Amino acid sequence: MLGPALAFVLCLSVSVQAVFPDDPKPCKYGDGECIMKLSNTLFSERSSAEEPGLNLVPLDPLKVDKLVISQGEDTSPVGITLTFTDNLLYGMKDQRIVKVKGFGKDLTGKHELRIVAKTFSLVGPYNINGKVLILPISGTGNSNMTMANVKAIVTFSGKPLEKDGEIFLDITNFKITMKPESTHYHFSNLFNGDKALGDNMNVFLNENAEAIYKETASAIDRSFSQLFKGIVGGVFSKVPYAKLFAEE
Ligand SMILES: *[C@@H]1O[C@H](CO)[C@@H](O)[C@H](O)[C@H]1NC(C)=O
């Protein structure tokens, strides 16, 4: 039993080292082009694996324990509480960073990643309550919320955090703004399993997907920001900032 486990661990550490060798460090401070290529390699080749050296969980599919989209502004025609529990998010292996700014020697600067993704699909159990463009909606079941051709901008700042004599980047003001070209919804078992009502509602949601997304975009951005802050923050809290980048 030890053999395969050991081989697995060795294999993982070799792969992390291949992507992020200790010495020489692959990218210089602020070298956006290099950081972009390195991250994209990580997404395309290593998304299904854990990367303990970088404190990364498997990214595709990404386990999402709980994600709440709560849109309750009075002036909006959409007022919903939509809770996803134990979902899987598919799509990160096909996402690509297209621009990187920041990550200079001064970690307190503003850091920015521009990302494009073919699809993000959030799949698993949901619970919804509220109203969508006047119509009441309620249900508990399984859902698939898919965003296609997403352009996302991730921004954050950093403040130095000292741990064991090393300086880590502590993430502040983390924000994601996502712009999908289109959004598709599927909710099974709406209205206590009333099939006619549920089918009609799914058609209605997809016919009005653009308007619905617009009304819920900031709530979606908020909850995805929380989700991704955890992931990005995990890397920076594990590896001292100076160990990530080489001097000029
Ligand atoms: C979710 O929906 C999308 C688009 O409708 C589809 O391509 C994808 O296969 C679905 N994912 C799952 C896991 O059902």
Side-chain angles (χ1 to χ4, degrees), residues 90 119 121-123 144-146 184 186:
Y90 296 90
T119 54
S121 292
L122 187 62
V123 178
N144 175 343
M145 183 175 89
T146 293
H184 308 271
H186 184 77

Side-chain angles (χ1 to χ4, degrees), residues 42-51 57-61 93:
L42 194 68
F43 294 144
S44 63
E45 291 173 14
R46 306 297 310 158
S47 272
S48 59
E50 207 171 329
E51 296 283 7
V57 295
L59 293 178
D60 199 348
K93 68 174 177 342

Side-chain angles (χ1 to χ4, degrees), residues 83-149:
T83 306
F84 301 99
T85 35
D86 299 325
N87 272 226
L88 292 173
L89 179 69
Y90 296 90
M92 278 216 257
K93 68 174 177 342
D94 297 319
Q95 76 178 7
R96 294 293 173 265
I97 296 180
V98 292
K99 189 153 185 76
V100 174
K101 284 191 214 163
F103 303 99
K105 194 150 191 199
D106 173 14
L107 62 76
T108 63
K110 191 177 162 198
H111 311 292
E112 181 181 303
L113 307 171
R114 286 178 184 249
I115 296 171
V116 296
K118 263 189 265 177
T119 54
F120 284 133
S121 292
L122 187 62
V123 178
Y126 79 94
N127 176 272
I128 192 169
N129 259 299
K131 68 174 168 67
V132 178
L133 313 175
I134 330 286
L135 296 181
I137 183 169
S138 67
T140 299
N142 285 302
S143 60
N144 175 343
M145 183 175 89
T146 293
M147 291 178 257
N149 298 325

Side-chain angles (χ1 to χ4, degrees), residues 70-80 131 215-216 218-219 222:
S70 178
Q71 200 323 99
E73 282 169 54
D74 290 347
T75 50
S76 170
V78 177
I80 50 163
K131 68 174 168 67
E215 295 298 328
T216 49
S218 57
R222 268 198 305 278

